[in-house]
Amino acid sequence: MNINDIVNGILAGDKRMIARSISLIENDESAREAIIERIYSHGSAKIIGITGPPGVGKSTIIGNLAPMLAKTGKVSILAVDPASPFSGGSILGNRIRMQEALSRYNIYMRSTSNRLYEGGLSEYSWDIIKVMEASGSDYIIVETVGSGQSDLDIMNIADITCVILAPGLGDEIQAVKSGLMEIGNIFIVNKMDREDSYMAIKDIRETLNMSNKADIPVIGLNSLTLENYDRFVKYINDWEYQNKYRRNERKIKQIIMEKIYRIYSEYINNIDSADIENENPYYAAEKIMKNVAGQKFGYLEK
Amino acid sequence: MESGKNQKFIKPPIKVLLAKPAIDGHDRGIFVLARAFRDAGMEVIYAGLLPTPEEVVDTAVNEDVDVIALSLLNGAHMTAFKKVMDILKKRGINDIAVVGGGIIPDEDKPKLEKMGVTGNFGPGTRLDVIIDHVTKRALEVRELRKNEYK
Amino acid sequence: MQNSFYEEKVSQIQKSFKIDEKYERWKNSTLADWNKKTGYREKNYTNSSDFKIKELYTRGDLPENLDEVLGMPGEYPYTRGVYPNMYRGKLWTMRMFSGFGTPEDTNKRLKYLISNGETGLSIAFDMPTLYGYDCDNPRAEGEVGKCGVNVSSLADMERIFDGIDLSKISTSMTINAPAAILTAMYFVLAQKKGVNLDRISGTVQADILKEYIAQKEWMYPPEAHIRLIRDMLVYSTENVPKWNYISVSGYHIREAGSSAVQELAFTLADGFYYIDTGIDAGLDVDKFAPRMSFFFNSSINFFEEIAKFRAARRIWATVLKEKYGAKNPRSMQLKFHTQTSGYTLTWQQPLNNIVRTTIEAMAAVLGGTQSLHTNSYDEAWALPTDEAVKVALRTQQIIAEESGIADVIDPLGGSYYVERLTSEMEEAVYKYLDEIEKMGGILNAVKKGYIQKEIAETSYRKQLRIENMDDIVVGVNKYVEEDEKPINILKIDEIAEKNQVKRLKELKTKRNNEMVSRSLDRLRDAMQDEKVNLMPYIMDCVRNYATIEEISNVGREIFGEWKEPKIY
Ligand code: B12
Ligand SMILES: Nc1nc2c(ncn2[C@@H]2O[C@H](COP(=O)(O)OP(=O)(O)OP(=O)(O)O)[C@@H](O)[C@H]2O)c(=O)[nH]1
Ligand SMILES: [Mg+2]
């Protein structure tokens, strides 16, 4: 297997190659750039972001939604889980709830750890989505970490961001509102079979109205009976906004930041504290930064 | 609470699929392993109860794991582990390691080894022994995958 | 805000505890001085429930209202036992969980056990049966008869009980998802043998909540199984007066990794849920509560287990009386079967397991169990051999007839330590019950995965305690021997599967298939109407030799299937 096989595999929709390329993208910089180089102009998918607090039913909804979308196009799924801040390991648990749909409809799904990257996605989510897009997907559904109000990065990647909530979130709802209210293109209240679900819809409706978002829909879903899914699917299919510009901008900024960071951290690790021992740390730091910027990024300095 | 126990600083993190490829609801052990693997720095996927051997292999391929860790306590390992190995073979996949464990009589262990299922640890095995074995197998298959994209 | 029922109980118990000045003085002077002089074994003294264990218990540890919370044997709140004469009246039922291979293999094992003095039957089914699949389903390949006996149709039940008089011995069946089907088979079998349903006695496990929590055997979503339980409850209450239609089980919860307190709290919460189910079905609590039975684990921390059994009785009696307004004393009496803990038995140095089982069995008897299964020393290797199961049965017989343990009722009653533990256990359980109630009840908590997470957490902590040597397991982390010798184990012949499959094929050609599909159709119609009791319809299917999978599939079609919540 070489990089050409892998790229051809991606373009042909071969799952094993898609899977392998995603690992390379996550783990190997030169392979990552080589793969993206060859595929970045391929494919065009609608990217559907699914975000919301833990346990509201994001994965269940994806498990239900994917087969419905599969009727009109090819679906792929990316689901992000948090890493443990202590060990860096993680348990990727979103798959179980979608498994049935995956096997039955032959859908490619990938679980990934955020590897402590902040914002609700993983560092290479853009690249993974790109691979899925190049593999011929028409829809790519992305489930964020699910930490609630801090999962905001999805708005930079998805064409349509669906914020999932459920009745009985308690105090959490306030925190969620402050963050997620800003990014949703549609709000879903899942678990409509539960008590208080109509109250939850009303509450969110009012909050949206108050911030001049009366045109953003709030839809109640029952994921056990699939009630109201037709409305949800229609909304997604009718959605036309393209977020490609922002998506690429995010990626470009990310690449630049990463490169700068890498160079600085290399430099920081090599600072020889002996000569600066007696200096004012503020002054010393300034001097070092000017120095490195001068060497590495002469063009950055006026 | 004991995060970081038996932690291995392997980059990128080892990716493991934990699965019980038969009708077997004994999941206490597999949950212990999931936690232990995570705390050792691995990325773990648990296939849930009652997956078919096909689903196990599909998941392993789609998730591109290094290791499939099979656990059965119901005595069906000789048929169920074999099904998983047969499917892997049929699909020409030799760069995913398969390790096993659970209630496995001694006389079955060499047969499983021969099929390519290693470890086959039973009750009372220390977690560090298991983690070492999984790590070793993961590094072996990574060696096979090396340079493939050049 | 007003205290909830359970909060009120917690505060009552806390009020009954007081500070014991004599103990404090002794601890700070005599004991402290002595420890300084002689040294002492430093260790975190706790039990599975994370209670701090003192080195000494004194009179001051007894609750102030001891007489009231103890009562007398056979009297409310039954802390000392549900019967006035306990084992002087009748020894507990010795009931060994058995089943493997073909129905004939199992029939032979049952008769072997009866001939060795077993006093009740208990059937273990194989994995396909437990999940409602026939032996010829592709999923069943390699699993038929491996973990229990295979039953695909009534014909198999007829073979298991061949030559056994159902009116003379009681039978317990460990079956849950397809419980209604196996119950129907047992009832029809009795009828075919000419035994009236009011003369058979026994228990079907049927407790589905603990399946979602711990044993993980289900076919449909919880609501569908609960309806089937309601139907068994109503049918047996009306037609099979000596049948325990449910055995609310903590055993599996404990084995899945819970502590003693969690076992008791979650099991009782399940029990109260079924009480609510019966009441919602329009029955008077005093009509159906007396036939509800329980099933607990007896693990290795001797006193903790004894306290757990005593607390179980006290809580059940109190809640039935005070919260549910039961008036029939039998509604308030918690009767239970016990199994010693399989988890505590090791693969290493298997003979040590006989000792562990003995300790655990003694705790069950001292805790006042109504029936008992003792595990065999080859537990961690395979299903037990004839030899191993006999030693396990003999263990019970020695406790019952040699040791004198069964001669006195609740011999540990009044023990400072045991009484204190009993009250602490009770307090901790009420706290959990309160928490569960506030989460919207046990079903909700289970669907969310909350209970499962609590258990997985405790289980992982236990594993780490063993690895860190905080808990000792002889032969595993201490006194380890390098050269473990293999023992003789029971092997299930592959022939068993072939034979079962062949027979099922034959059955399907011999039976009246017209009748089969008609009875299945009638069942399908009945399932659509929530109010209909399904038992007679299932009995009809069974009588026509419809198979377990054919009947289960009707439910799968109507009720759908179920996927477990995410635990991590
Ligand atoms: C706990 C237990 C249960 C619990 C399970 C709770 C749960 N949710 O897990 C309950 C009570 C529900 C249960 C039920 C049954 N059980 Co059970 N159970 C056990 C028991 C006592 C302990 C298993 C355990 O959890 N140990 C603790 C965990 C931490 O250890 P572990 O799983 O062994 O895992 C360790 C190692 O084995 C190893 N390991 C395990 N898997 C893997 C995988 C890999 C890749 C690696 C590297 C290592 C590894 O690492 C772990 C850490 O050391 C065993 C006997 C025993 N002592 O082992 C019987 C046992 C497994 N059960 C048995 C049976 C028959 C059943 C039933 C079928 C009984 C019946 N007919 O109804 C049911 C079926 C349940 C089901 N749905 O599948 C038999 C199996 C017989 C056989 N294989 O020949 C056993 C051996 C008991 C016996 N002798 O009869 N059981
Ligand atoms: N009653 C009810 N339960 C639901 C519904 N949708 C999902 N659930 C349940 O909610 C629980 C959580 O569902 P998941 O799909 O895992 O939720 P999630 O948001 O992906 O969770 P995380 O990924 O852990 O943040 C599961 O037990 C589902 O069965 C619904 O519409 N009604
Ligand atoms: Mg999820």
Side-chain angles (χ1 to χ4, degrees), chain A residues 240-254:
Chain A
E240 278 179 12
Y241 171 73
Q242 271 278 342
N243 204 9
K244 208 162 178 173
Y245 171 74
R246 200 176 201 168
R247 190 142 70 227
N248 286 350
E249 184 189 49
R250 169 191 178 275
K251 183 63 191 174
I252 294 167
K253 283 184 180 163
Q254 200 190 25

PDB file of all heavy atoms in Angstrom, chain A residues 240-254:
ATOM      1  N   GLU A 240     -29.563  25.795   2.233  1.00  0.00           N
ATOM      2  CA  GLU A 240     -28.681  26.050   1.102  1.00  0.00           C
ATOM      3  C   GLU A 240     -27.364  26.732   1.435  1.00  0.00           C
ATOM      4  O   GLU A 240     -26.437  26.720   0.644  1.00  0.00           O
ATOM      5  CB  GLU A 240     -29.432  26.842   0.026  1.00  0.00           C
ATOM      6  CG  GLU A 240     -30.253  25.885  -0.817  1.00  0.00           C
ATOM      7  CD  GLU A 240     -31.038  26.576  -1.888  1.00  0.00           C
ATOM      8  OE1 GLU A 240     -30.785  27.762  -2.121  1.00  0.00           O
ATOM      9  OE2 GLU A 240     -31.907  25.899  -2.470  1.00  0.00           O
ATOM     10  N   TYR A 241     -27.301  27.326   2.580  1.00  0.00           N
ATOM     11  CA  TYR A 241     -26.112  28.084   2.945  1.00  0.00           C
ATOM     12  C   TYR A 241     -24.849  27.218   2.863  1.00  0.00           C
ATOM     13  O   TYR A 241     -24.819  26.086   3.314  1.00  0.00           O
ATOM     14  CB  TYR A 241     -26.302  28.635   4.352  1.00  0.00           C
ATOM     15  CG  TYR A 241     -25.080  29.257   4.949  1.00  0.00           C
ATOM     16  CD1 TYR A 241     -24.640  30.495   4.484  1.00  0.00           C
ATOM     17  CD2 TYR A 241     -24.377  28.623   5.964  1.00  0.00           C
ATOM     18  CE1 TYR A 241     -23.521  31.073   5.035  1.00  0.00           C
ATOM     19  CE2 TYR A 241     -23.264  29.198   6.520  1.00  0.00           C
ATOM     20  CZ  TYR A 241     -22.830  30.424   6.056  1.00  0.00           C
ATOM     21  OH  TYR A 241     -21.726  30.990   6.592  1.00  0.00           O
ATOM     22  N   GLN A 242     -23.800  27.752   2.297  1.00  0.00           N
ATOM     23  CA  GLN A 242     -22.527  27.034   2.190  1.00  0.00           C
ATOM     24  C   GLN A 242     -21.485  27.697   3.086  1.00  0.00           C
ATOM     25  O   GLN A 242     -21.327  28.907   3.035  1.00  0.00           O
ATOM     26  CB  GLN A 242     -22.039  27.076   0.739  1.00  0.00           C
ATOM     27  CG  GLN A 242     -22.552  25.936  -0.116  1.00  0.00           C
ATOM     28  CD  GLN A 242     -21.740  24.669   0.068  1.00  0.00           C
ATOM     29  OE1 GLN A 242     -20.616  24.721   0.572  1.00  0.00           O
ATOM     30  NE2 GLN A 242     -22.309  23.540  -0.318  1.00  0.00           N
ATOM     31  N   ASN A 243     -20.828  26.936   3.831  1.00  0.00           N
ATOM     32  CA  ASN A 243     -19.907  27.503   4.823  1.00  0.00           C
ATOM     33  C   ASN A 243     -18.455  27.271   4.417  1.00  0.00           C
ATOM     34  O   ASN A 243     -17.557  27.293   5.251  1.00  0.00           O
ATOM     35  CB  ASN A 243     -20.194  26.848   6.181  1.00  0.00           C
ATOM     36  CG  ASN A 243     -19.762  27.723   7.329  1.00  0.00           C
ATOM     37  OD1 ASN A 243     -19.406  28.889   7.140  1.00  0.00           O
ATOM     38  ND2 ASN A 243     -19.783  27.160   8.534  1.00  0.00           N
ATOM     39  N   LYS A 244     -18.236  26.988   3.168  1.00  0.00           N
ATOM     40  CA  LYS A 244     -16.930  26.549   2.729  1.00  0.00           C
ATOM     41  C   LYS A 244     -15.841  27.588   3.022  1.00  0.00           C
ATOM     42  O   LYS A 244     -14.744  27.257   3.457  1.00  0.00           O
ATOM     43  CB  LYS A 244     -16.961  26.290   1.220  1.00  0.00           C
ATOM     44  CG  LYS A 244     -15.965  25.250   0.799  1.00  0.00           C
ATOM     45  CD  LYS A 244     -16.329  24.718  -0.574  1.00  0.00           C
ATOM     46  CE  LYS A 244     -15.314  23.702  -1.020  1.00  0.00           C
ATOM     47  NZ  LYS A 244     -15.714  23.044  -2.255  1.00  0.00           N
ATOM     48  N   TYR A 245     -16.216  28.836   2.811  1.00  0.00           N
ATOM     49  CA  TYR A 245     -15.230  29.895   3.005  1.00  0.00           C
ATOM     50  C   TYR A 245     -14.723  29.898   4.443  1.00  0.00           C
ATOM     51  O   TYR A 245     -13.521  29.863   4.699  1.00  0.00           O
ATOM     52  CB  TYR A 245     -15.852  31.249   2.650  1.00  0.00           C
ATOM     53  CG  TYR A 245     -14.972  32.405   3.037  1.00  0.00           C
ATOM     54  CD1 TYR A 245     -13.828  32.693   2.290  1.00  0.00           C
ATOM     55  CD2 TYR A 245     -15.256  33.175   4.161  1.00  0.00           C
ATOM     56  CE1 TYR A 245     -12.992  33.719   2.657  1.00  0.00           C
ATOM     57  CE2 TYR A 245     -14.428  34.205   4.544  1.00  0.00           C
ATOM     58  CZ  TYR A 245     -13.294  34.484   3.784  1.00  0.00           C
ATOM     59  OH  TYR A 245     -12.463  35.494   4.157  1.00  0.00           O
ATOM     60  N   ARG A 246     -15.661  29.854   5.379  1.00  0.00           N
ATOM     61  CA  ARG A 246     -15.288  29.873   6.789  1.00  0.00           C
ATOM     62  C   ARG A 246     -14.497  28.623   7.176  1.00  0.00           C
ATOM     63  O   ARG A 246     -13.585  28.652   7.976  1.00  0.00           O
ATOM     64  CB  ARG A 246     -16.558  29.928   7.599  1.00  0.00           C
ATOM     65  CG  ARG A 246     -16.345  30.411   8.994  1.00  0.00           C
ATOM     66  CD  ARG A 246     -17.683  30.496   9.599  1.00  0.00           C
ATOM     67  NE  ARG A 246     -17.761  31.366  10.732  1.00  0.00           N
ATOM     68  CZ  ARG A 246     -18.910  31.744  11.252  1.00  0.00           C
ATOM     69  NH1 ARG A 246     -20.043  31.376  10.710  1.00  0.00           N
ATOM     70  NH2 ARG A 246     -18.923  32.488  12.321  1.00  0.00           N
ATOM     71  N   ARG A 247     -14.927  27.525   6.600  1.00  0.00           N
ATOM     72  CA  ARG A 247     -14.287  26.243   6.870  1.00  0.00           C
ATOM     73  C   ARG A 247     -12.802  26.317   6.488  1.00  0.00           C
ATOM     74  O   ARG A 247     -11.919  25.933   7.233  1.00  0.00           O
ATOM     75  CB  ARG A 247     -14.994  25.187   6.029  1.00  0.00           C
ATOM     76  CG  ARG A 247     -14.658  23.779   6.323  1.00  0.00           C
ATOM     77  CD  ARG A 247     -15.889  22.910   6.202  1.00  0.00           C
ATOM     78  NE  ARG A 247     -16.346  22.744   4.814  1.00  0.00           N
ATOM     79  CZ  ARG A 247     -17.598  22.884   4.416  1.00  0.00           C
ATOM     80  NH1 ARG A 247     -18.546  23.191   5.278  1.00  0.00           N
ATOM     81  NH2 ARG A 247     -17.930  22.711   3.151  1.00  0.00           N
ATOM     82  N   ASN A 248     -12.545  26.835   5.306  1.00  0.00           N
ATOM     83  CA  ASN A 248     -11.162  26.912   4.858  1.00  0.00           C
ATOM     84  C   ASN A 248     -10.377  27.950   5.653  1.00  0.00           C
ATOM     85  O   ASN A 248      -9.213  27.741   5.981  1.00  0.00           O
ATOM     86  CB  ASN A 248     -11.101  27.207   3.372  1.00  0.00           C
ATOM     87  CG  ASN A 248     -11.491  25.985   2.566  1.00  0.00           C
ATOM     88  OD1 ASN A 248     -11.616  24.888   3.127  1.00  0.00           O
ATOM     89  ND2 ASN A 248     -11.709  26.158   1.280  1.00  0.00           N
ATOM     90  N   GLU A 249     -11.054  29.044   5.968  1.00  0.00           N
ATOM     91  CA  GLU A 249     -10.388  30.073   6.759  1.00  0.00           C
ATOM     92  C   GLU A 249      -9.942  29.493   8.103  1.00  0.00           C
ATOM     93  O   GLU A 249      -8.826  29.697   8.560  1.00  0.00           O
ATOM     94  CB  GLU A 249     -11.341  31.243   6.975  1.00  0.00           C
ATOM     95  CG  GLU A 249     -10.694  32.398   7.697  1.00  0.00           C
ATOM     96  CD  GLU A 249     -11.717  33.446   8.098  1.00  0.00           C
ATOM     97  OE1 GLU A 249     -12.754  33.080   8.686  1.00  0.00           O
ATOM     98  OE2 GLU A 249     -11.477  34.622   7.822  1.00  0.00           O
ATOM     99  N   ARG A 250     -10.847  28.740   8.708  1.00  0.00           N
ATOM    100  CA  ARG A 250     -10.513  28.120   9.985  1.00  0.00           C
ATOM    101  C   ARG A 250      -9.277  27.242   9.828  1.00  0.00           C
ATOM    102  O   ARG A 250      -8.366  27.275  10.649  1.00  0.00           O
ATOM    103  CB  ARG A 250     -11.683  27.268  10.475  1.00  0.00           C
ATOM    104  CG  ARG A 250     -11.346  26.364  11.657  1.00  0.00           C
ATOM    105  CD  ARG A 250     -12.469  25.371  11.909  1.00  0.00           C
ATOM    106  NE  ARG A 250     -12.177  24.444  12.999  1.00  0.00           N
ATOM    107  CZ  ARG A 250     -11.487  23.321  12.859  1.00  0.00           C
ATOM    108  NH1 ARG A 250     -10.985  22.999  11.681  1.00  0.00           N
ATOM    109  NH2 ARG A 250     -11.290  22.533  13.907  1.00  0.00           N
ATOM    110  N   LYS A 251      -9.260  26.479   8.745  1.00  0.00           N
ATOM    111  CA  LYS A 251      -8.154  25.559   8.547  1.00  0.00           C
ATOM    112  C   LYS A 251      -6.846  26.316   8.326  1.00  0.00           C
ATOM    113  O   LYS A 251      -5.809  25.968   8.890  1.00  0.00           O
ATOM    114  CB  LYS A 251      -8.453  24.643   7.349  1.00  0.00           C
ATOM    115  CG  LYS A 251      -7.397  23.587   7.101  1.00  0.00           C
ATOM    116  CD  LYS A 251      -7.283  22.618   8.280  1.00  0.00           C
ATOM    117  CE  LYS A 251      -6.072  21.734   8.172  1.00  0.00           C
ATOM    118  NZ  LYS A 251      -5.878  20.906   9.377  1.00  0.00           N
ATOM    119  N   ILE A 252      -6.921  27.360   7.537  1.00  0.00           N
ATOM    120  CA  ILE A 252      -5.697  28.122   7.260  1.00  0.00           C
ATOM    121  C   ILE A 252      -5.142  28.716   8.544  1.00  0.00           C
ATOM    122  O   ILE A 252      -3.957  28.585   8.864  1.00  0.00           O
ATOM    123  CB  ILE A 252      -5.983  29.226   6.216  1.00  0.00           C
ATOM    124  CG1 ILE A 252      -6.325  28.569   4.874  1.00  0.00           C
ATOM    125  CG2 ILE A 252      -4.790  30.160   6.070  1.00  0.00           C
ATOM    126  CD1 ILE A 252      -6.926  29.517   3.855  1.00  0.00           C
ATOM    127  N   LYS A 253      -6.030  29.341   9.322  1.00  0.00           N
ATOM    128  CA  LYS A 253      -5.588  29.932  10.588  1.00  0.00           C
ATOM    129  C   LYS A 253      -4.969  28.865  11.491  1.00  0.00           C
ATOM    130  O   LYS A 253      -3.961  29.080  12.144  1.00  0.00           O
ATOM    131  CB  LYS A 253      -6.764  30.567  11.319  1.00  0.00           C
ATOM    132  CG  LYS A 253      -7.180  31.903  10.744  1.00  0.00           C
ATOM    133  CD  LYS A 253      -8.294  32.491  11.588  1.00  0.00           C
ATOM    134  CE  LYS A 253      -8.725  33.838  11.039  1.00  0.00           C
ATOM    135  NZ  LYS A 253     -10.037  34.235  11.586  1.00  0.00           N
ATOM    136  N   GLN A 254      -5.624  27.726  11.489  1.00  0.00           N
ATOM    137  CA  GLN A 254      -5.148  26.628  12.337  1.00  0.00           C
ATOM    138  C   GLN A 254      -3.744  26.186  11.918  1.00  0.00           C
ATOM    139  O   GLN A 254      -2.874  25.973  12.761  1.00  0.00           O
ATOM    140  CB  GLN A 254      -6.134  25.477  12.197  1.00  0.00           C
ATOM    141  CG  GLN A 254      -6.096  24.471  13.299  1.00  0.00           C
ATOM    142  CD  GLN A 254      -6.943  23.263  12.926  1.00  0.00           C
ATOM    143  OE1 GLN A 254      -7.166  22.959  11.754  1.00  0.00           O
ATOM    144  NE2 GLN A 254      -7.416  22.573  13.951  1.00  0.00           N
TER     145      GLN A 254
END
